[in-house]
């Protein structure tokens, strides 16, 4: 390690000890040494401390993010040594430094599933979780012993081959050994295993052009990131785009196919993320100016707004007013006993064919940032709520239309085509 890199590392440790001291003390107080814990760092903070460290981490994440974890461990040890009263503190070494909020440039920020040219890049993808796999235990390392010279060495699983192990052709003993037979050492299962989960993230409909089918990609989560998300969550994934393939003849139907996946470095649920304060202030000022105009008082202003509502359909003033009330929503009420009364209204459009019902539903989907448009023909209760499917011997939970539209609006066309037994699940969801 040259002097420049050493100076950068010491500067980064000093920054963690001074600026993130409260988080490091919280790590020492909570949890035990057998579970992983994380300290979150904004990418701009890492860039301010050292642009060299940031560029190295972004260019070679597989090498430098484990080094950042080791620097975090050193910072925690330094805080532990500086404290006098540390009776309740436990030194930790299973730590991860999670980098969040990558710079707002197209190189990092993605709203579409990456393609093959992005392999090896660190990106931040915005999407919706549609499917989750049950968490499982992953063996990521084995201790192997050469049967000829008894040399013991660690063998790491290959992420690109779905964490399969590929033993070396010859013994890696530095003293020289031609042995090619190895056996696994037992007794270190706790050290060689970790929690592992895969989730499928789909592109958000609001970022796609009309008529585009959203694509999906698998995201792998490890250690403390497991079980952080559920189907229907809007997430921001920071990870590395990787290629994965099965061994020759070991894929489905004995095929070997390459697929893209994202190795998750951080995942954030952003279901409750509100508007940007600057955007909210501008919208509030625009609303105030509109209602202050002489011809926009009370009902006259409401009628003016409705004249712009769904312009492709002429008339239907009452229907448009009802749809606007549904889009605006109500106020949820919770009394002292904790009983919750929903504030969101529902709307049923009934009319002859060709009266513009579907056009109104499509316009409502465009007005909301989180909206799902589906049809009742062929829909089942599992497709509308959540379905359990089995793929490769594992069970997957896949979110339906009502789950994906949670916190937004779900538009169901041809509602009369849904079977009576399947409508019950929709009525139960409407009561929530």
């Amino acid at each position: 390690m040259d002097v420049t890199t050493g100076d950068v590392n010491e500067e980064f440790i000093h920054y963690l000890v001074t600026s993130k001291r409260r988080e490091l003390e919280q790590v020492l107080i909570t949890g035990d040494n057998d579970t992983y814990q994380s300290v979150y760092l904004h990418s701009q903070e890492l860039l301010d401390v050292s642009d060299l460290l940031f560029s190295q981490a972004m260019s070679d994440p597989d090498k430098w993010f484990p080094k950042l974890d080791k620097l975090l461990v050193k910072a925690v040890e330094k805080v532990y040594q500086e404290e006098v009263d540390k009776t309740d503190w436990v030194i930790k070494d299973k730590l991860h430094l999670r980098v969040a909020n990558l710079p707002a440039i197209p190189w990092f920020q993605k709203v579409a599933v990456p393609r093959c040219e992005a392999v090896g890049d660190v990106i931040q993808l915005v999407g919706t979780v549609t499917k989750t796999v049950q968490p499982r235990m992953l063996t990521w390392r084995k201790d192997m012993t050469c049967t000829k010279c008894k040399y013991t060495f660690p063998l790491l699983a290959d992420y690109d081959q779905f964490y399969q192990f590929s033993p070396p052709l010859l013994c890696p003993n530095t003293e020289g050994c031609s042995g090619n037979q190895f056996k696994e050492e037992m007794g270190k299962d706790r050290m060689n295993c970790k929690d592992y989960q895969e989730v499928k993230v789909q592109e958000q409909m609001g970022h796609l052009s009309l008529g585009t089918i959203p694509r999906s990609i698998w995201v792998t989560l490890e250690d403390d990131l497991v079980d952080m998300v559920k189907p229907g969550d809007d997430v921001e994934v920071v990870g590395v785009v990787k290629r994965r393939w099965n061994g020759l003849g070991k894929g489905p139907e004995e095929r070997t196919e390459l697929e893209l996946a994202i190795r998750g470095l951080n995942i954030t649920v952003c279901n409750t993320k509100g508007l940007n304060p600057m955007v909210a202030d501008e919208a509030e000022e625009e609303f105030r100016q509109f209602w202050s105009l002489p011809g926009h008082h009370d009902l006259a202003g409401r009628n003016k707004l409705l004249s712009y509502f769904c312009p492709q359909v002429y008339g239907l003033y009452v229907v448009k007013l009802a749809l606007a009330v549904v889009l605006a929503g109500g106020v949820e009420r919770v009394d002292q006993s904790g009983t919750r009364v929903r504030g969101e209204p529902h709307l049923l459009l009934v009319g002859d064919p060709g009266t513009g019902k579907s056009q109104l539903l499509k316009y409502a989907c465009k007005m909301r940032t989180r909206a799902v448009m589906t049809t009742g023909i062929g829909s089942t209760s599992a497709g509308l709520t959540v379905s359990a499917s089995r793929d490769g011997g594992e069970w997957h939970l896949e979110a339906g239309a009502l789950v994906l539209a949670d916190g937004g609006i779900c538009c169901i066309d041809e509602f009369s085509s849904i079977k009576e037994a399947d409508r019950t699940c929709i009525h139960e969801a409407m009561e929530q």
Side-chain angles (χ1 to χ4, degrees):
M1 181 181 294
D2 55 20
V3 177
T4 305
T5 306
D7 294 341
V8 169
N9 292 345
E10 290 298 327
E11 184 180 357
F12 183 65
I13 293 175
H14 176 73
Y15 174 80
L16 291 177
V17 172
T18 54
S19 301
K20 296 289 182 180
R21 190 176 188 90
R22 180 176 299 179
E23 288 87 341
L24 300 185
E25 291 177 353
Q26 191 68 23
V27 167
L28 290 168
I29 295 173
T30 59
D32 52 38
N33 201 24
D34 293 331
T35 58
Y36 275 91
Q37 292 179 270
S38 295
V39 175
Y40 295 90
L41 187 70
H42 198 287
S43 63
Q44 189 62 44
E45 296 178 277
L46 180 60
L47 192 58
D48 292 341
V49 174
S50 171
D51 54 352
L52 175 63
L53 197 59
F54 177 83
S55 60
Q56 288 174 330
M58 295 298 111
S59 60
D60 193 359
D62 293 337
K63 174 183 177 182
W64 281 94
F65 273 94
K67 288 187 176 182
L68 292 178
D69 295 341
K70 293 179 181 179
L71 294 178
L72 176 61
V73 173
K74 292 182 179 179
V76 170
E77 292 175 352
K78 191 172 182 179
V79 172
Y80 183 82
Q81 295 171 359
E82 293 176 355
E83 183 65 25
V84 178
D85 184 14
K86 48 190 175 183
T87 53
D88 296 333
W89 289 10
V90 179
I91 193 69
K92 309 286 186 1
D93 57 357
K94 291 186 175 182
L95 302 175
H96 286 299
L97 186 69
R98 305 291 184 189
V99 177
N101 301 103
L102 296 183
I105 56 176
W107 180 269
F108 295 113
Q109 300 285 344
K110 307 289 184 181
V111 295
V113 169
R115 298 184 181 272
C116 59
E117 62 267 13
V119 171
D121 295 343
V122 181
I123 66 170
Q124 179 170 326
L125 176 67
V126 179
T128 304
V129 178
T130 58
K131 184 184 290 188
T132 59
V133 182
Q134 292 295 328
R136 62 184 177 89
M137 185 179 67
L138 171 71
T139 302
W140 65 280
R141 184 180 67 182
K142 290 182 179 179
D143 293 318
M144 309 295 291
T145 301
C146 177
T147 56
K148 185 176 182 179
C149 66
K150 306 303 180 183
Y151 176 73
T152 302
F153 60 94
L155 180 64
L156 302 181
D158 189 2
Y159 179 91
D160 296 340
Q161 300 189 42
F162 291 89
Y163 282 104
Q164 295 180 3
F165 289 92
S166 300
L169 297 178
L170 294 176
C171 177
N173 193 345
T174 56
E175 297 179 358
C177 176
S178 59
N180 57 5
Q181 299 293 327
F182 312 100
K183 66 177 181 178
E184 181 182 353
E185 289 289 326
M186 307 301 293
K188 294 184 179 181
D189 293 342
R190 175 180 291 187
M191 297 174 57
N192 295 339
C193 296
K194 62 171 66 174
D195 294 327
Y196 180 81
Q197 185 185 26
E198 293 189 9
V199 299
K200 181 173 281 190
V201 176
Q202 179 181 280
E203 298 170 344
Q204 290 184 344
M205 298 294 294
H207 297 142
L208 301 178
S209 58
L210 190 62
T212 305
I213 299 176
R215 295 178 296 140
S216 303
I217 189 170
W218 284 104
V219 178
T220 60
L221 306 176
E222 300 175 4
D223 300 327
D224 57 316
L225 296 181
V226 172
D227 264 346
M228 284 190 63
V229 298
K230 61 183 184 299
D233 285 341
D234 288 337
V235 295
E236 291 180 352
V237 180
V238 177
V240 187
V241 182
K242 307 283 283 187
R243 283 187 297 245
R244 298 195 301 178
W245 64 88
N246 286 300
L248 291 176
K250 295 183 179 179
E253 300 180 2
E254 297 185 356
R255 294 179 300 179
T256 300
E257 295 180 350
L258 279 169
E259 70 172 30
L260 290 182
I262 296 179
R263 187 172 189 174
L265 302 175
N266 186 24
I267 188 166
T268 307
V269 180
C270 49
N271 292 336
T272 58
K273 180 176 289 187
L275 286 176
N276 189 336
M278 297 180 62
V279 177
D281 293 342
E282 293 177 1
E284 182 181 357
E285 182 63 27
E286 189 175 352
F287 294 157
R288 188 179 293 108
Q289 290 179 2
F290 176 84
W291 292 104
S292 63
L293 294 176
H296 293 171
H297 291 302
D298 299 333
L299 297 181
R302 183 195 68 181
N303 296 339
K304 187 71 173 178
L305 288 177
L306 290 178
S307 65
Y308 301 131
F309 196 86
C310 194
Q312 60 265 39
V313 177
Y314 177 78
L316 300 180
Y317 172 81
V318 178
V319 179
K320 292 181 179 180
L321 175 61
L323 191 58
V325 170
V326 172
L327 290 175
V331 179
E332 185 181 69
R333 191 175 76 253
V334 180
D335 58 14
Q336 296 179 353
S337 63
T339 304
R340 188 178 67 88
V341 179
R342 63 176 177 85
E344 302 300 326
H346 304 295
L347 178 64
L348 175 64
L349 295 178
V350 181
D352 293 332
T355 52
K357 300 187 297 296
S358 298
Q359 292 296 326
L360 290 169
L361 291 182
K362 292 178 181 179
Y363 185 80
C365 287
K366 293 179 183 178
M367 292 289 289
R368 290 295 291 264
T369 56
R370 186 167 187 175
V372 174
M373 180 75 179
T374 184
T375 179
I377 300 176
S379 295
T380 61
S381 58
L384 292 172
T385 53
V386 65
S387 60
S389 58
R390 191 164 186 172
D391 184 16
E394 296 182 356
W395 286 97
H396 306 261
L397 288 177
E398 189 163 3
L402 294 176
V403 178
L404 295 176
D406 185 30
I409 184 172
C410 180
C411 298
I412 304 177
D413 201 4
E414 303 292 343
F415 189 77
S416 59
S417 302
I418 302 178
K419 297 179 181 179
E420 186 65 32
D422 295 330
R423 288 187 207 170
T424 307
C425 69
I426 302 178
H427 294 153
E428 293 176 356
M430 290 168 66
E431 294 173 358
Q432 303 301 319

